[in-house]
Amino acid sequence: MAPLWSKLLLLSFLQCVISDDVSRESEFIWDVNGYVIFCPCMGRFGNQADHYLGGLAFAKSLNRTLILPPWRTYKNVPFDEWFKVEQIRKYHRVILADDFMKYLAPKYWPVGKRIGWCWLPSNTKETCKMKEGNPFGPFWDGLGVDFDEYMIYQISFHDTELWRWGKLYPPADHPVMAFKGAPARFPIQEHHVHLQQYLEWSDAIEGEAQQYVDDTFHGEPYVGIHLRNGGDWVNACAHVEGGTKYMASPQCMGYQNTEPLTKEICYPSEETILRQVKNAVLKTNAKHIFVATDKNPMIKELEQHLKEQKVKVHHLDPWLPLIDLAILGKSDHFIGNCVSSFTAFVKRHRDVHDLPSSFWSRS
Ligand SMILES: *[C@@H]1O[C@H](CO)[C@@H](O)[C@H](O)[C@H]1NC(C)=O
């Protein structure tokens, strides 16, 4: 039998846990103006970030609290593992998804009353496939959500349609809108780009990136570059020629662009890359180049081309691509790929902090 003191210890421990929960519960007051949540289920981090900011703007325009969905990798990553909640709260009311599920859902969005929202054409016989496939199923499973009913809608997330959402779906009748995908367009709309300022790295991400910068560059200037050159990108760029808009391209071509895209913008040649990096190195007097890539970091080619300048080329290839993003965000100059949403995240971040950037083939 366990001695009395250990039982007492256990008891007081449990009491602590319980009273902690109770005191946290009072932090969360139900918002009568309703909630929005969505699965950031499209693509990897760059695409998700575009969608996330659009979803944030959507919640604000409906004056509903945004339930901050987890980011999606091979698992759900709570929003606050990567970004600060206080910062995003400066823009709009938000609550972490885990807090919502723990403190508000049991009472206000109980099992049996969970409605999944999907866009489908009006004459379809299909139903809403909220949890079919990956990442949809695992995403909602991670939050412990099953859907009991479905709401099919035909309105878009275009600005001119926004008023219809509030009119058709008042919060009293539809307290929680749980969308299959982000209530947003891709790429991010022009007037939402500034929302990047509300995404501030968590202390963990910031600390890890800063540590690398300090240890590697010793306070010397460095040029950050993003080389998107994996096999999937070869395919993605095969048909860009002639089009005026492709994935994140409005970030360098402009949102009203009529000029045709070129292969060089999407998949720059080695010659273009070496020339632009050299120019940036000369201009910033950089002693280092930091390369983020999904495939080929071109270390030998860069070192060879910049022999005279004696620059060192670094390639971290971190387990978490966000570390690359944070390091690129701090460089003295950044050169990225205009079509890539990974680049777009860095570019927006640098614009917020007044740091210079350019694009391959588009200086
Ligand atoms: C927006 O929602 C908040 C919280 O429910 C409420 O206090 C505020 O009055 C609402 N604003 C408008 C313009 O309805």
Side-chain angles (χ1 to χ4, degrees):
M1 222 178 89
L4 183 63
W5 65 265
S6 74
K7 279 189 203 162
L8 284 175
L9 209 64
L10 183 68
L11 257 180
S12 65
F13 168 73
L14 281 176
Q15 227 158 26
C16 266
V17 171
I18 292 164
S19 63
D20 181 49
D21 262 24
V22 169
S23 69
R24 281 218 70 197
E25 199 159 336
S26 61
E27 281 175 45
F28 304 105
I29 297 158
W30 179 253
D31 183 358
V32 294
N33 280 304
Y35 293 80
V36 169
I37 185 172
F38 57 87
C39 176
C41 278
M42 190 196 58
R44 282 174 286 184
F45 178 76
N47 288 17
Q48 291 182 29
D50 265 47
H51 261 167
Y52 217 105
L53 294 179
L56 174 66
F58 177 80
K60 174 141 173 139
S61 69
L62 267 59
N63 198 27
R64 286 169 173 262
T65 296
L66 177 65
I67 302 167
L68 292 168
W71 302 95
R72 186 70 206 172
T73 59
Y74 67 95
K75 61 174 185 179
N76 285 1
V77 179
F79 177 85
D80 62 339
E81 218 174 287
W82 290 351
F83 296 99
K84 289 189 174 146
V85 177
E86 313 90 85
Q87 184 65 14
I88 205 160
R89 201 164 268 150
K90 289 178 187 164
Y91 176 70
H92 187 54
R93 301 186 309 280
V94 296
I95 179 173
L96 287 167
D98 287 339
D99 287 339
F100 179 83
M101 291 311 299
K102 187 168 175 191
Y103 297 106
L104 294 173
K107 182 163 173 200
Y108 299 99
W109 198 50
V111 172
K113 299 212 154 163
R114 295 179 177 170
I115 302 171
W117 294 56
C118 292
W119 183 91
L120 283 173
S122 59
N123 52 2
T124 187
K125 289 201 176 68
E126 266 184 69
T127 65
C128 203
K129 298 184 175 104
M130 287 295 285
K131 292 184 69 171
E132 206 160 284
N134 196 350
F136 299 95
F139 173 83
W140 295 110
D141 281 343
L143 294 173
V145 172
D146 283 317
F147 293 96
D148 308 293
E149 282 174 65
Y150 301 99
M151 174 66 84
I152 313 287
Y153 61 84
Q154 273 98 33
I155 318 176
S156 81
F157 303 112
H158 205 282
D159 282 349
T160 53
E161 300 250 288
L162 281 181
W163 65 276
R164 295 182 62 197
W165 284 96
K167 201 172 148 99
L168 274 176
Y169 308 113
D173 302 334
H174 306 277
V176 178
M177 292 173 151
F179 290 100
K180 185 179 174 208
R185 305 203 302 160
F186 182 84
I188 188 170
Q189 296 188 72
E190 190 168 20
H191 58 286
H192 293 158
V193 169
H194 73 101
L195 297 180
Q196 182 74 30
Q197 66 188 287
Y198 301 104
L199 288 180
E200 190 177 317
W201 296 121
S202 66
D203 290 337
I205 298 285
E206 176 65 25
E208 193 173 333
Q210 190 59 50
Q211 187 74 52
Y212 178 85
V213 167
D214 293 344
D215 292 350
T216 313
F217 310 127
H218 313 289
E220 294 168 339
Y222 69 102
V223 170
I225 66 175
H226 176 213
L227 299 178
R228 183 74 167 91
N229 54 23
D232 65 326
W233 204 248
V234 178
N235 296 332
C237 294
H239 309 289
V240 291
E241 213 108 318
T244 57
K245 192 176 167 186
Y246 188 48
M247 294 196 251
S249 74
Q251 68 174 320
C252 80
M253 307 285 287
Y255 277 79
Q256 319 312 331
N257 177 53
T258 54
E259 188 190 330
L261 273 157
T262 64
K263 186 101 181 279
E264 269 288 294
I265 292 176
C266 192
Y267 204 101
S269 63
E270 186 176 310
E271 191 193 329
T272 297
I273 292 167
L274 295 176
R275 176 174 44 78
Q276 281 185 240
V277 174
K278 190 170 193 168
N279 286 343
V281 164
L282 292 174
K283 204 166 157 188
T284 55
N285 215 0
K287 296 284 167 270
H288 307 269
I289 297 165
F290 178 79
V291 186
T293 183
D294 52 314
K295 182 80 188 284
N296 177 9
M298 292 178 61
I299 294 175
K300 280 215 184 83
E301 295 88 333
L302 286 163
E303 275 180 348
Q304 176 69 27
H305 191 70
L306 288 153
K307 245 195 313 208
E308 266 176 52
Q309 285 72 33
K310 295 196 172 61
V311 295
K312 287 203 193 77
V313 182
H314 308 268
H315 172 48
L316 175 61
D317 199 15
W319 179 77
L320 201 57
L322 278 82
I323 301 300
D324 266 347
L325 291 173
I327 297 168
L328 292 173
K330 293 167 179 290
S331 62
D332 293 84
H333 189 86
F334 167 65
I335 312 173
N337 187 309
C338 175
V339 178
S340 155
S341 61
F342 187 88
T343 278
F345 186 92
V346 179
K347 168 68 163 66
R348 289 194 306 264
H349 175 90
R350 295 176 63 85
D351 285 354
V352 167
H353 297 278
D354 261 328
L355 294 166
S357 307
S358 50
F359 298 96
W360 304 120
S361 302
R362 290 290 297 181
S363 293

